[in-house]
Amino acid sequence: MASSGEDTSNEGDAPPAAATMAVGAHLLGFSDEILLHILSHVPSTDLVLNVRRTCRKLAVLCLDKSLTHTVLLQKDYEASEDKVKQVVKEIGREIQQLNMAGCYWLSGATIEHVARCRGLVKVNLSGCHLTSVRLSKMLSALQHLRSLAIDVSPGFDAGQLSGECKATLSRVRELKQTLYTPSYGVVPCCTSLEKLLLYFEILDRTREGAVLSGQLMVGQSNVPHYQNLRVFYARLAPGYINQEVVRLYLAVLSDRTPENLHAFLISVPGSFAESGATKNLLDSMARNVALDALQLPKSWLNGSSLLQHMKFNNPFYFSFSRCALSGGHLIQRVINGGRDLRSLASLNLSGCVHCLSPDSLLRKAEDDIDSGILETLVASCHNLQHLNLSAAHHHSADGPGRHLCQLLARLRRLRSLSLPVCSVAEAAPRADRAPAQPAPHAVPRGFGKKVRIGVPSYSGPLPGQAAPQPSSVFWALLKNVPFLERLELIGSSFSSAMPRNEPAIRNSLPPCSRAQSVGDSEVAAVGQLAFLRHLTLAQLPGILTGSGLVSIGLQCQQLQSLSLANLGLMGKVVYTSALSDMLKHCKRLKDLSFQAERPALNVVIFPLLHEGLTNVIRDVPMVHLDEITLFKSRVAEEPPNLWW
């Protein structure tokens, strides 16, 4: 950095190289705290291998414990095998948390270098290629390990784990295990488990066509140690084999329920019949434990009085996805008549079509919700951060303060929200209501005039001109939850062409009639959310021009994930120009998904690519351009901070 006595009178005549050095000098003039914050956003491989070699000051800062304590390589597609080996060699002793989830391109020999990070406390190797022998060799050197995430693939043999490896596993307290073959994996070796997360991804048949069975686990060690368990989470992919294997894991729990268990969550697509062991487990839980988080298969809850007998301490997560839960049961059994549930942070009522109605037997889809039930819910759970009300018709009755959006506006702490499109529509047209103002950047509608790709048919706002503020209940809702990071507007009749971990529905239903009134103006209201990171818009037949998309692109500068499906009338795509302009402003976009019928893909995406949109999305790592893209609600899908 130049001293105060240096002559800077000719700074304007400095050559480009000198000007660059001057800019660098200004950067290094920041305090160490600011520089450390800036460096925390640099990928670990660049930090250690490139930035550290620029100057002495950065060489010291790049090795600060706040930067080397945690190394994230997840989705770092530029982290080659040589770079990973070099990073481990240079700062391996300082690393305490390492996330390599999804690094499928790294060989097992490279993953084995993790053994050099002898101070590791937490490591995530999900999606990495590891044999039983390599896993044993690596874990044998990690004596301080307390949290582990691995995959159990065909060919895994627990008998190949060494004594030193089993000693390390005996000290592990958190285990995330993804199963691709019927196996207990390393669970029997983890005698101190407090948190167990199981993901069942087993196919019913092998590649050769042989039918798999849970009987393959006979002869393996089947004594998982659950006595210290506090959190049990199981997520099943479709298939009978996954249900068969999870029953073997639950059988041990049914014999002796851990006294300290406070979170019990099982996510199953479709139906999952109860067995004698599971009934004994639920009865034991109702007698002996007080839960803080609960999620059960809908077949275990529907028609059952289980919720009446369950005891809850300070619940922070409830999921009743697709359960036949009426509003009366929600108030009486879950909220207990309106008690204070200020501890509840996440609530998933996706697919609960009767949850806001007092009588589930008499309600029809087009009937209005009972605003009193929703008001009780909001008053009792006023600290909610994640709420999912999707996959249901929630129509509001006309009247002051009775609209769903007006009641949800009281939840000022919301960070993620999923709503059906029809729920944000105005209650009913009134003669005294002023017509809705046009959305910002509205596109004039002509009589069948085609829109040219890359040539906007509308003009943006003039400098200093304020965008109109639509006076809708949805606009007011978003204004009152300014810190929302994830928003989903999904048609109540929408179903993905290829659902993931959800029951497949092949018969597509028409959109709700009330959803027709939700259009560009409501989409433009999303532009108020300055902190929005993830946005899903699916089955909005009222989209005419897509002008609201441009508002989102201009104002939601933190947007990282965008999913669009079936906007406008089926097969009628007239928002191509607006979508193109929106994407030009999404500088932080990492994941772009688009689902539509094949004609719509031909009309929208492929011409955009041909006309130069490639320059816009070339830095987006994940771009899905197909009619079978997987769309599903992700709000309150799992408890917050479940892993990593």
Side-chain angles (χ1 to χ4, degrees), residues 49-68:
L49 304 181
N50 298 322
V51 180
R52 187 167 68 94
R53 292 181 169 86
T54 56
C55 67
R56 293 181 179 179
K57 183 171 184 177
L58 291 180
V60 174
L61 291 178
C62 287
L63 296 181
D64 188 85
K65 290 184 177 181
S66 64
L67 300 178
T68 59

Side-chain angles (χ1 to χ4, degrees), residues 347-544:
L347 179 62
N348 188 350
L349 296 174
S350 173
C352 298
V353 297
H354 307 297
C355 65
L356 300 181
S357 173
D359 193 340
S360 62
L361 298 178
L362 302 178
R363 184 179 187 271
K364 298 179 181 179
E366 60 272 13
D367 292 342
D368 295 334
I369 63 173
D370 187 336
S371 58
I373 294 176
L374 182 58
E375 190 168 8
T376 302
L377 175 66
V378 170
S380 302
C381 312
H382 51 273
N383 287 329
L384 270 179
Q385 298 181 21
H386 313 278
L387 178 62
N388 193 330
L389 294 174
S390 63
H393 295 270
H394 295 314
H395 299 168
S396 299
D398 198 7
R402 300 180 60 188
H403 197 281
L404 179 140
C405 291
Q406 294 173 320
L407 296 174
L408 294 184
R410 304 177 188 177
L411 300 175
R412 302 298 181 89
R413 298 177 181 268
L414 279 179
R415 295 297 182 270
S416 63
L417 178 63
S418 182
L419 295 174
V421 176
C422 57
S423 69
V424 305
E426 297 292 339
R430 299 202 315 258
D432 59 340
R433 179 173 294 158
Q437 300 182 20
H441 320 295
V443 182
R445 283 179 285 170
F447 293 91
K449 182 179 179 180
K450 295 183 178 180
V451 180
R452 292 180 58 194
I453 303 299
V455 182
S457 59
Y458 61 93
S459 57
L462 297 175
Q465 180 181 1
Q469 302 289 321
S471 56
S472 68
V473 290
F474 183 56
W475 189 283
L477 166 61
L478 299 186
K479 183 178 181 181
N480 283 277
V481 289
F483 300 107
L484 209 63
E485 297 179 2
R486 182 186 290 272
L487 176 64
E488 298 173 351
L489 273 183
I490 304 176
S492 52
S493 304
F494 176 79
S495 60
S496 177
M498 292 287 287
R500 180 69 178 127
N501 292 331
E502 292 289 344
I505 302 175
R506 298 304 176 196
N507 297 325
S508 58
L509 300 175
C512 176
S513 58
R514 291 206 183 187
Q516 303 285 347
S517 62
V518 180
D520 297 309
S521 180
E522 284 73 20
V523 172
V526 179
Q528 301 177 89
L529 304 176
F531 299 96
L532 189 67
R533 296 177 181 271
H534 309 278
L535 175 63
T536 297
L537 300 174
Q539 199 181 42
L540 277 77
I543 297 296
L544 299 178

